[in-house]
Amino acid sequence: MIIILQPQLGEDAPETANILEYFRATPAITPKLHQVVGAQQVLTEIYLLGDTSKLDRAQIESLPGVSHVVKVSRPYAVVGRHVEDSRGAGFTYNGVTFNQNNLNIFAGPCAVDTIEHVEQMMKAVAEAGLQCTRMGAYKPRTNPYSFQGYGAKCLPWVFELAGKYGIKVIAMEITHDAHIEEINHALTQAGHPTGVMLQVGTRNTQNFELLKACGRQHKHPILLKRGFGITLDESLNAAEYLASEGNHQVIFCLRGMKTNLGEPHRNFVDFSHVPVLKRMTHMPVCIDPSHSVGTRERAPDGILDLCHATAQGIIAGANMVLVDFHPQPARALVDGPQALTVAELQYYLEDIDIARNAYVKRKTCAARQAKRQSTATATTTVATTKPAVKK
Ligand code: PEP
Ligand code: MN
């Protein structure tokens, strides 16, 4: 059960303290306080953990300071979308808004390599009118002898270049909680020229200590990759780990599932789950076509599988795209074969635009149909409830 307090009530308000005290004294219930920083307002919520079946909703709603109560109907209390759940969703980080309605593109190299390549990429991203990029400094690799990323060493110049080109958010994978400190230190040293979205990769979706560490810090939003070999339910529980530690700025990323020994794509593209996640949760949904498709194969229609997969996610309502680009894919230190080139960026964005416009039209079409249906239902109800005229 989630108690939503009236908007003006903060964590320190006497009403908040009274409600907490009341539930601390209630047997088998543990109240947990959460502050939700939204685009418009800061909301205080109290999560009631334990056996809530005997609690009286109406009585709770009559307590001073309570706005309303949401009954938790899914195991993911914070990130889940529950019955009669009107909690707002989305957040703004470093001037960029993320929610279930808009779309942000994060194009960039899988792994940071040279200053020249990073600068070329940042410049291209800025010239294309984008505000975000992806850059890996810490790379989890299958083979221990593979390049593991330049780590903290490259952060000063990566952040400085991001500032130079007006990049607002860099999605950056971390594989250890110490990396959060390293990123914070480098951002402070550089004078905060940009923002970082912490990325938890598919190999770490169930690294619970890393999830808790990411959730405990409330500075950076988190991009959580779906685990490639676990159930959706398990991945959503991972998202709940982040949110239950108080960080509600979580984006869920589909990146394909392991199957068929990597053929014909590196992973089985799972972007048909975009609407499923939007229905089940409040999280903005990201797609990663690069790690799903993993090749630059082209269909007979001349369109790259990567672009086809992206369009499939966008036309289904995706809110973010994480995609590998590199100025010289042949020289990339990680995942070159799946990277698009800087020269292809404009074309890629145009293709996304086509799919996004189609999605917007599909939404309008569905709204028209819903209106026609409700008018038809209302007419039928009036016709069947009208008393028969006596002759
Ligand atoms: C990545 O985005 O660079 C990456 C390693 O992705 P994933 O965790 O989805 O494999
Ligand atoms: Mn990669």
Side-chain angles (χ1 to χ4, degrees), residues 297-310:
E297 291 288 327
R298 206 179 285 272
D301 57 18
I303 302 173
L304 289 164
D305 288 13
L306 263 164
C307 294
H308 271 302
T310 305

Side-chain angles (χ1 to χ4, degrees), residues 110 134 139 266 291 324 334-335 338:
C110 181
R134 58 153 300 151
K139 300 306 301 177
R266 184 173 173 182
H291 292 81
D324 286 3
V334 184
D335 283 348
Q338 70 191 23

Side-chain angles (χ1 to χ4, degrees), residues 228-239:
F228 54 21
I230 57 176
T231 64
L232 181 60
D233 178 67
E234 285 163 335
S235 289
L236 290 177
N237 269 298

